[in-house]
Amino acid sequence: MKDTDFFFSALLKLVEGSSLSSPKFQDGLRLPHLRSQILLFPNCPFLFSHFHCSEMAMIDEPLYPIAVLIDELKNEDIQLRLNSIRRLSTIARALGEERTRKELIPFLSENNDDDDEVLLAMAEELGVFIPYVGGVEHANVLLPPLETLCTVEETCVRDKAVESLCRIGAQMREPDLVESFIPLVKRLAAGEWFTARVSSCGLFHIAYPSAPETLKTELRAIYSQLCQDDMPMVRRSAASNLGKFAATVEAAHLKADIMSIFEDLTQDDQDSVRLLAVEGCAALGKLLEPQDCVAHILPVIVNFSQDKSWRVRYMVANQLYELCEAVGPEPTRSDLVPAYVRLLRDNEAEVRIAAAGKVTKFCRILNPELAIQHILPCVKELSSDSSQHVRSALASVIMGMAPVLGKDATIDQLLPIFLSLLKDEFPDVRLNIISKLDQVNQVIGIDLLSQSLLPAIVELAEDRHWRVRLAIIEYIPLLASQLGVGFFDDKLGALCMQWLKDKVYSIRDAAANNVKRLAEEFGPDWAMQHIIPQVLDMINNPHYLYRMTILHAISLLAPVMGPEITCSKLLPVVINAAKDRVPNIKFNVAKVLQSLTPIVDQSVVDKTIRPCLVELSEDPDVDVRFFASQALQASDQIMMSS
């Protein structure tokens, strides 16, 4: 009874407004039997054995979720702690803005949870908490718990805390930023543990614009110190955030202070810092005047392209187009072409992959003569590179070079490379070439394309890798529209029928869709002559999977062919298939008949389709009965609506 009296007293004090984090209240919550019985089960017999109903009425209802929250925050079960954190907004609404500011936020600031998932959830929740503490005028109360989270060891927690601080800082009033946010940034930047300093780098671009001139000078000096920090992790963070910070700095200080910081980072002894400085090249290049960009950024890019670390060279190759945009077309042609050629011939395959993936974008900046003279020889070398991933990266973009180089150069220089890649042993290389054939067609025309590349395409239609065959099928309707009816019938018609009997379901399914798209392209008359007879002949195939494919093809072709051909040619085949011995065929017949019902006349439905469905609805197989009944219901609904 003594424990119970104490706990009830603590609850009453809470209702009267005492602090959630008071020692007495916390001690009360540590009584496990009271916790579980009173808080979680307020109507249980235990409670009523100790309290009168009049006493229970004194406990304010919003007390329960708050008490449960605090209880679960200390629970050993991580899922309970996570649930309570994710309900913070609900709890805050129950408490009201004032008590949220005075009790809930301080309680969260003092919470010493050591689980990263809980801390991550807290950092995320606090980022959208401004409405629950009374609006932007009280946003500063959210800074202390997030400041604590910025110092934890787990990177994802710190990143989320910085993101939430940036979101809050962007909404804060200028006086509050100066009074609360900037001191927070300075404290983190001066933190003894490196995690605080790492986090501070991501906050300068929020703090700087609102700072008075004296504080701006101090912030620039602090950022400069962070860029020279003893810990590489801090310098990495400073390098990755330099572009955002530089965008807020005045033009006069940009050249004087920021460029000095940038030059220090580009000469850092850690390659992980230098490769982040590569991104800074593109960001700073957009902020500087063209002449300053050429003077300060271009030499750095050229040096980075010869860096001893392949990771830095990889980053240059990956960011090359953005770097070219930063320095402009003329410096690119004069200074960056040799650098790019070096990257295309780099010793490391990863660097060549990144450089090969940018070849078309880079050629667009150059004139065709320069591209043919300098880049094309490298492309020829890469097409027979020892790394399949390099060849695949090249194949994914090389077709885009055709419009850049023009018709003559494409025919003389690029077509042999295309053919070489189309016959590559690695399927992804062949796949990447096939999917971009239309770009070449626009340049050299369908006649030349069909003469040079079509034999290779026909060969790939029987490729041993089903994904390559699938890519060919998906390209066929486009190729058919470009080739015309006559050429298609001669070269590709037989292939389209052959795919309907492929061993892989995805190929058969794509082939059924393909015949439908061909019928749409060339019209019902052509389909009636070249597709329908061959498709219907396959319904007698001994393998039931192929017969199912034909039923699927019929359901797709019927809307294209129209009611007359559907009734005369397609429907009899479907009705006959209802007598198949395989249940899978029979319930697919029911589904096809359901799809044909809206297409044909009601008289055909009554005389032909419904009797067949009624017969199937009495089939011994449960699945056949189910789909037949479903089709009959759909038929009834169509009849009622009409």
Side-chain angles (χ1 to χ4, degrees):
M1 285 294 291
K2 188 175 180 182
D3 284 347
T4 309
D5 291 341
F6 168 78
F7 190 75
F8 183 60
S9 172
L11 292 178
L12 289 178
K13 285 181 180 177
L14 178 63
V15 176
E16 292 163 4
S18 60
S19 172
L20 293 176
S21 53
S22 65
K24 281 191 175 183
F25 186 70
Q26 290 296 313
D27 290 342
L29 284 176
R30 290 191 188 99
L31 302 173
H33 63 288
L34 292 173
R35 219 169 38 197
S36 59
Q37 298 288 333
I38 297 177
L39 293 179
L40 300 180
F41 305 102
N43 297 320
C44 70
F46 173 88
L47 183 69
F48 285 102
S49 69
H50 291 85
F51 297 101
H52 297 295
C53 290
S54 58
E55 290 175 318
M56 280 301 298
M58 296 170 64
I59 303 178
D60 196 8
E61 192 173 340
L63 167 67
Y64 290 106
I66 299 304
V68 171
L69 167 71
I70 297 167
D71 184 46
E72 288 184 351
L73 280 173
K74 303 295 181 184
N75 199 294
E76 291 181 6
D77 187 343
I78 180 176
Q79 196 57 51
L80 287 176
R81 299 206 304 277
L82 266 175
N83 290 342
S84 67
I85 288 294
R86 287 173 180 150
R87 293 205 313 270
L88 280 179
S89 57
T90 306
I91 303 307
R93 279 195 294 269
L95 273 176
E97 294 169 357
E98 186 177 351
R99 292 190 69 187
T100 297
R101 292 194 302 270
K102 292 183 177 177
E103 298 177 29
L104 182 59
I105 300 301
F107 176 79
L108 293 174
S109 300
E110 296 165 12
N111 183 29
N112 297 319
D113 201 299
D114 59 351
D115 190 89
D116 296 330
E117 280 189 78
V118 176
L119 297 178
L120 179 63
M122 187 190 300
E124 189 173 0
E125 288 289 324
L126 290 174
V128 293
F129 228 64
I130 287 180
Y132 306 117
V133 296
V136 291
E137 57 267 29
H138 299 290
N140 58 311
V141 302
L142 296 171
L143 302 184
L146 286 169
E147 182 179 355
T148 304
L149 292 173
C150 281
T151 62
V152 301
E153 286 192 35
E154 180 54 46
T155 306
C156 62
V157 176
R158 293 200 310 270
D159 290 346
K160 185 58 72 174
V162 169
E163 183 185 323
S164 293
L165 279 172
C166 289
R167 187 180 292 134
I168 292 167
Q171 300 175 62
M172 288 176 72
R173 300 175 302 183
E174 194 167 307
D176 294 334
L177 279 167
V178 174
E179 186 180 332
S180 304
F181 196 88
I182 293 176
L184 176 148
V185 175
K186 290 165 66 177
R187 284 195 301 274
L188 288 173
E192 184 178 349
W193 191 239
F194 79 92
T195 53
R197 304 198 297 276
V198 167
S199 298
S200 70
C201 297
L203 301 172
F204 276 78
H205 69 286
I206 300 293
Y208 188 84
S210 303
E213 197 55 45
T214 52
L215 272 178
K216 283 184 175 180
T217 305
E218 186 180 355
L219 287 174
R220 291 195 301 273
I222 292 171
Y223 203 90
S224 178
Q225 290 170 8
L226 290 170
C227 291
Q228 299 169 18
D229 196 275
D230 292 338
M231 297 295 288
M233 290 79 82
V234 178
R235 301 200 300 276
R236 280 205 297 269
S237 181
S240 63
N241 287 286
L242 183 61
K244 288 189 285 188
F245 180 46
T248 65
V249 175
E250 301 82 359
H253 299 298
L254 187 63
K255 282 196 286 185
D257 297 340
I258 300 300
M259 291 313 297
S260 172
I261 293 172
F262 175 66
E263 286 170 13
D264 289 341
L265 291 171
T266 61
Q267 296 167 17
D268 197 278
D269 58 349
Q270 291 279 332
D271 63 352
S272 59
V273 177
R274 296 199 304 278
L275 66 86
L276 289 168
V278 174
E279 294 181 10
C281 289
L284 290 172
K286 293 172 184 175
L287 302 172
L288 293 169
E289 294 293 326
Q291 63 273 18
D292 294 325
C293 191
V294 171
H296 296 286
I297 302 296
L298 189 59
V300 172
I301 297 172
V302 173
N303 288 336
F304 275 158
S305 71
Q306 305 172 71
D307 196 276
K308 61 186 177 182
S309 167
W310 72 266
R311 291 181 178 85
V312 176
R313 302 197 303 276
Y314 169 84
M315 188 62 76
V316 173
N318 204 38
Q319 297 274 326
L320 191 70
Y321 186 70
E322 291 75 13
L323 297 172
C324 292
E325 284 184 325
V327 300
E330 285 305 320
T332 295
R333 295 183 188 115
S334 58
D335 296 282
L336 287 185
V337 168
Y340 184 53
V341 168
R342 276 196 300 272
L343 293 170
L344 287 170
R345 290 173 169 159
D346 198 273
N347 293 331
E348 291 290 338
E350 284 81 0
V351 179
R352 297 198 302 277
I353 291 168
K358 303 291 180 181
V359 70
T360 296
K361 279 187 170 184
F362 191 80
C363 285
R364 286 185 188 135
I365 302 171
L366 310 178
N367 56 52
E369 292 76 21
L370 271 177
I372 292 168
Q373 183 183 349
H374 296 286
I375 308 301
L376 207 52
C378 300
V379 170
K380 288 178 181 176
E381 293 171 16
L382 292 175
S383 68
S384 55
D385 194 276
S386 58
S387 168
Q388 62 190 29
H389 303 293
V390 174
R391 301 195 305 274
S392 180
L394 178 67
S396 66
V397 296
I398 191 173
M399 309 303 266
M401 289 182 70
V404 178
L405 300 185
K407 183 173 182 178
D408 293 339
T410 299
I411 294 168
D412 297 338
Q413 310 277 352
L414 285 181
L415 269 181
I417 300 174
F418 296 159
L419 285 169
S420 166
L421 294 171
L422 268 176
K423 296 173 182 175
D424 196 279
E425 62 181 357
F426 188 49
D428 283 9
V429 178
R430 306 194 295 273
L431 208 58
N432 288 339
I433 289 289
I434 296 159
S435 59
K436 305 283 175 56
L437 278 176
D438 56 314
Q439 295 178 350
V440 180
N441 177 39
Q442 293 165 11
V443 178
I444 67 174
I446 195 64
D447 292 337
L448 194 56
L449 178 69
S450 60
Q451 290 170 24
S452 56
L453 297 182
L454 201 60
I457 292 172
V458 172
E459 189 178 329
L460 288 173
E462 300 173 346
D463 195 276
R464 66 182 184 278
H465 293 277
W466 69 268
R467 293 183 193 277
V468 176
R469 301 199 299 277
L470 184 62
I472 289 285
I473 294 172
E474 289 170 351
Y475 184 68
I476 284 294
L478 176 62
L479 200 60
S481 65
Q482 294 166 348
L483 290 169
V485 177
F487 193 92
F488 178 82
D489 289 343
D490 292 343
K491 304 288 184 182
L492 299 175
L495 279 175
C496 295
M497 296 302 113
Q498 182 182 318
W499 285 321
L500 288 168
K501 296 186 284 187
D502 198 276
K503 293 179 180 178
V504 178
Y505 167 76
S506 296
I507 301 296
R508 297 195 302 274
D509 184 61
N513 281 285
N514 180 49
V515 295
K516 172 209 169 189
R517 290 166 68 188
L518 289 172
E520 290 172 337
E521 178 66 36
F522 294 143
D525 293 338
W526 175 87
M528 188 61 208
Q529 187 177 352
H530 295 90
I531 288 183
I532 299 297
Q534 297 180 61
V535 168
L536 297 185
D537 283 347
M538 295 182 195
I539 197 66
N540 298 317
N541 192 295
H543 201 300
Y544 84 96
L545 290 175
Y546 299 144
R547 300 199 296 277
M548 280 173 59
T549 302
I550 299 309
L551 288 172
H552 179 47
I554 288 172
S555 69
L556 293 171
L557 283 166
V560 181
M561 303 307 294
E564 188 177 338
I565 294 175
T566 298
C567 290
S568 62
K569 298 292 181 183
L570 304 182
L571 185 57
V573 174
V574 179
I575 296 295
N576 191 49
K579 300 180 177 64
D580 199 291
R581 67 181 187 279
V582 179
N584 299 55
I585 297 293
K586 289 192 279 191
F587 72 65
N588 272 282
V589 165
K591 290 197 279 187
V592 173
L593 289 174
Q594 182 178 339
S595 70
L596 297 183
T597 302
I599 298 170
V600 300
D601 294 335
Q602 186 60 43
S603 59
V604 177
V605 174
D606 294 337
K607 291 179 182 177
T608 309
I609 293 179
R610 286 187 67 84
C612 182
L613 289 173
V614 169
E615 186 178 339
L616 289 173
S617 67
E618 298 169 354
D619 193 89
D621 188 271
V622 64
D623 292 322
V624 176
R625 294 199 304 272
F626 171 78
F627 285 107
S629 301
Q630 197 176 58
L632 283 168
Q633 289 173 10
S635 173
D636 292 338
Q637 288 173 358
I638 291 170
M639 191 188 305
M640 289 172 65
S641 62
S642 61

